[in-house]
Amino acid sequence: MHITKDKLSDVTVARLVGTLDGAYAQEVHDGIVEILLDRQPVLLDFSGVPHVSQDGLRTMLAIYRQAQALDGKVCVVGVTGDLHLALRATGFLRFFRVADDVEGGVAVLQDAADTDQKIEEKVAS
């Protein structure tokens, strides 16, 4: 498993390449939580991930829970084929914002941030 992190606008894109399994689950979790702790929206690009094991699914659930606790935003892109079927069957797709590609994911996360900003402004006034 290889993870690269890039910034697009105010979104951190974490590109995962390889199988997300028990051998790399903690590394992936720690890398993503580090971004969430910095209060950055995270886009997880799974286009280079052919398989997610049960340990990988648990890692995704832990990332979701951490994001919820920190009021963080996470979007997943590049989920196709067998991986999409597995995530849909387990219900994991409903935990995350999902987009077709990186550009769409960045737009989804920016829209979510804009919506949150408008709600905060409304509450403050």
Side-chain angles (χ1 to χ4, degrees), residues 2-96:
H2 180 71
I3 305 170
T4 59
K5 299 175 190 171
D6 299 307
K7 291 285 279 184
L8 285 177
S9 188
D10 61 341
V11 174
T12 300
V13 179
R15 290 181 172 86
L16 308 173
V17 178
T19 299
L20 179 52
D21 58 16
Y24 298 101
Q26 191 64 47
E27 176 185 341
V28 170
H29 175 269
D30 293 348
I32 303 308
V33 169
E34 177 182 306
I35 300 165
L36 290 169
L37 288 170
D38 285 339
R39 304 289 187 203
Q40 297 294 311
V42 179
L43 188 141
L44 297 175
D45 183 356
F46 275 81
S47 59
V49 178
H51 177 73
V52 176
S53 72
Q54 288 183 345
D55 289 330
L57 290 174
R58 280 191 287 278
T59 296
M60 291 181 69
L61 181 60
I63 290 168
Y64 166 75
R65 287 180 176 159
Q66 189 72 43
Q68 291 295 306
L70 295 169
D71 197 28
K73 308 287 184 272
V74 180
C75 182
V76 179
V77 300
V79 178
T80 60
D82 290 339
L83 179 56
H84 184 269
L85 292 174
L87 293 176
R88 189 177 71 202
T90 58
F92 276 56
L93 286 181
R94 72 174 187 258
F95 295 145
F96 299 97

